[in-house]
Amino acid sequence: MTVLWTAAPTPHPRVQWREQRWWPVLPLIATVLLLAVPVQTAGAGTSADITPADIASCVLVAFALGRVLRLRRRPLTPAAALVLGIPTAGIAVATFTATDPAAALTGFIRYLQVFVLVPTAVVLLVRTPRNFRIITGSLTVLALVQGATGVHQYATGTGASYMGEDIRAVGTFGPTDVMGMATVVSYGLLAALALALRTPENAPPWLRPTAVAAAAALVVPLALSFSRGAWIATLAAALVMILLTGLRQAVRALAALTAVSVVLVGGFGIGSEMISQRLTSITEVTEAPDRSVTDRYTMWAAATSMWDDRPATGVGLKGFAVHRDAHASIGLSSGSDTAGAGQEFHKQALLSPHNMYLLVLSEQGLIGITAFVGSWAAILVAGVRRLTLTRGKRRATDCGLAAVGLMTWQTVDFLYADIGGPSTVLTGIVLGLAAWWALAQPAEATAA
């Protein structure tokens, strides 16, 4: 009796030729680029809004499953299956133990989509470094579109409200998802930086200068997003990527990065005064915190209080908003002010702690946080290890740099943000790209 998944049959030469083409990653490309479509949502803190990118991600998962069944190949390595699947345990337990399992079901679906199904589909569909580069190229294109929209918003005063002026660059995501454009631009910047640092062998001569120009250009909308969390995460990821290229190139890259920042922000004065104030506020959060920082600290304290009540399983998915008032101090404001970018002023309720680790800890307890952090740490460590082993051989090193950079950005940004809003689906794609590099068969990930 033959077992289907123990050994994959040798594909027909025509099938092998098709594997080298880009069409199998079309659902991935569509999912990324559909985020350029303006969507009016109820708020970044909600998960009830279904966007075109979310629908495309469902098609992506179905396509990946159908492709695996058609090709009759082993879908995942045991290590990849374990690392990608283990978050399911935390979200399942948190759903069943929630005070309202029916309400928690929507959270279960969202978590399963972002942290399990979409990353797994990416690993299944990306078969070669060329496929990987097509997806990161799509991220860069999306970032340039959103970034150009954000710069136009700043220049014309049509952005989201910031310090009494409608100048905050938010792209097409609107004032209720101020992190959306910053997230997209950060992804694109790091993808372009990877190509600039380690251009693939036999690449056309225009690729490297184009990547350098794209990375430099994306610094502007990132700065105009006024997102401190995105700035810190991007700087940390860029430094990790630069240091992993070797000492000599790291020195040159750091000098170039400093020069670009000085010219764009200092020389041209692009938002320099407000950016300076925003940077200064990072060091003043313990001495003279602004309203947003005070609210964030209050919600962090509420999240740890929820976990203290139910340390093993947490309060259940979608439970933070329900239990917030019982655990938050009176210092928490009623909500954050949102306006501009084509929307009227209104208060946006604070329904999450704006820290992914604390959100998981409060809603899923030790079981959930162990599963999630263990999965992310395994992907990051395995990705760095594979990159260091292949660095001297220059085989798909650009893919490794992009994967490690994107994963580093995500793990750092989760200290200041959590899931929510249309851009959330990209989190699953980024986790999938990082997992493909870290956990795919060596012949796939390190091919030229």
Side-chain angles (χ1 to χ4, degrees):
M1 180 177 178
T2 304
V3 180
L4 277 179
W5 303 114
T6 54
T10 303
H12 187 276
R14 190 173 182 178
V15 175
Q16 290 180 318
W17 174 75
R18 286 177 178 175
E19 286 292 297
Q20 302 302 317
R21 302 190 67 183
W22 57 270
W23 71 265
V25 294
L26 267 178
L28 269 167
I29 299 172
T31 303
V32 172
L33 296 184
L34 278 173
L35 283 168
V37 178
V39 176
Q40 295 294 332
T41 63
T46 66
S47 58
D49 299 301
I50 299 177
T51 67
D54 287 321
I55 297 173
S57 73
C58 295
V59 175
L60 163 67
V61 172
F63 180 81
L65 177 60
R67 187 165 171 77
V68 167
L69 294 175
R70 183 177 68 84
L71 295 179
R72 297 185 178 183
R73 62 155 45 112
R74 186 191 303 246
L76 295 171
T77 64
L82 175 64
V83 171
L84 291 172
I86 195 171
T88 307
I91 60 178
V93 170
T95 301
F96 288 122
T97 59
T99 54
D100 187 355
L105 185 59
T106 59
F108 175 84
I109 295 171
R110 187 62 157 168
Y111 273 86
L112 197 66
Q113 171 205 14
V114 175
F115 296 109
V116 179
L117 296 180
V118 171
T120 301
V122 173
V123 175
L124 293 175
L125 292 179
V126 175
R127 310 304 302 179
T128 65
R130 184 168 182 261
N131 292 157
F132 185 101
R133 293 171 188 133
I134 290 173
I135 305 307
T136 53
S138 300
L139 286 174
T140 304
V141 170
L142 174 65
L144 290 170
V145 171
Q146 291 286 357
T149 304
V151 172
H152 178 266
Q153 290 170 333
Y154 173 83
T156 59
T158 56
S161 178
Y162 177 76
M163 297 181 67
E165 300 181 63
D166 293 344
I167 58 170
R168 187 169 192 174
V170 292
T172 64
F173 296 105
T176 59
D177 186 15
V178 294
M179 282 294 297
M181 190 211 72
T183 298
V184 168
V185 167
S186 299
Y187 289 158
L189 192 158
L190 295 174
L193 180 62
L195 283 176
L197 292 172
R198 282 288 184 268
T199 309
E201 294 180 356
N202 302 320
W206 52 263
L207 182 60
R208 186 167 194 174
T210 301
V212 172
L218 289 172
V219 171
V220 177
L222 179 61
L224 298 179
S225 71
F226 300 112
S227 173
R228 292 169 294 199
W231 293 348
I232 294 171
T234 303
L235 180 60
L239 288 175
V240 168
M241 294 170 66
I242 290 170
L243 293 175
L244 285 172
T245 61
L247 181 60
R248 182 178 300 177
Q249 184 164 357
V251 172
R252 294 198 301 266
L254 287 172
L257 183 63
T258 303
V260 168
S261 301
V262 169
V263 170
L264 290 178
V265 178
F268 294 142
I270 302 176
S272 56
E273 182 178 352
M274 290 186 175
I275 291 172
S276 176
Q277 293 175 0
R278 196 69 164 165
L279 285 171
T280 303
S281 70
I282 295 175
T283 62
E284 295 176 347
V285 293
T286 58
E287 297 177 2
D290 57 31
R291 179 77 262 174
S292 65
V293 174
T294 300
D295 285 340
R296 184 163 301 189
Y297 283 167
T298 303
M299 291 189 293
W300 288 3
T304 56
S305 177
M306 293 177 201
W307 168 71
D308 190 54
D309 277 358
R310 299 182 65 179
T313 60
V315 297
L317 294 183
K318 309 294 290 183
F320 182 89
V322 176
H323 293 82
R324 183 200 65 181
D325 292 341
H327 293 268
S329 70
I330 59 174
L332 182 64
S333 66
S334 60
S336 59
D337 299 339
T338 61
Q343 296 188 25
E344 298 294 331
F345 171 85
H346 74 279
K347 285 278 188 180
Q348 183 177 354
L350 302 174
L351 303 177
S352 71
H354 294 288
N355 180 306
M356 192 65 204
Y357 302 103
L358 290 178
L359 179 62
V360 173
L361 185 66
S362 63
E363 294 188 342
Q364 303 180 40
L366 288 175
I367 296 175
I369 196 66
T370 301
F372 273 85
V373 173
S375 175
W376 300 335
I379 292 173
L380 185 56
V381 171
V384 173
R385 181 177 181 273
R386 175 165 281 177
L387 179 59
T388 55
L389 291 176
T390 60
R391 185 172 59 189
K393 302 175 184 178
R394 293 186 62 82
R395 296 175 66 84
T397 311
D398 60 302
C399 297
L401 283 176
V404 171
L406 290 170
M407 193 64 197
T408 300
W409 188 94
Q410 199 65 71
T411 55
V412 174
D413 183 71
F414 274 162
L415 293 169
Y416 308 95
D418 47 49
I419 59 173
S423 61
T424 297
V425 70
L426 281 186
T427 302
I429 291 177
V430 164
L431 291 175
L433 291 174
W436 175 82
W437 169 259
L439 304 171
Q441 295 286 0
E444 292 182 7
T446 60

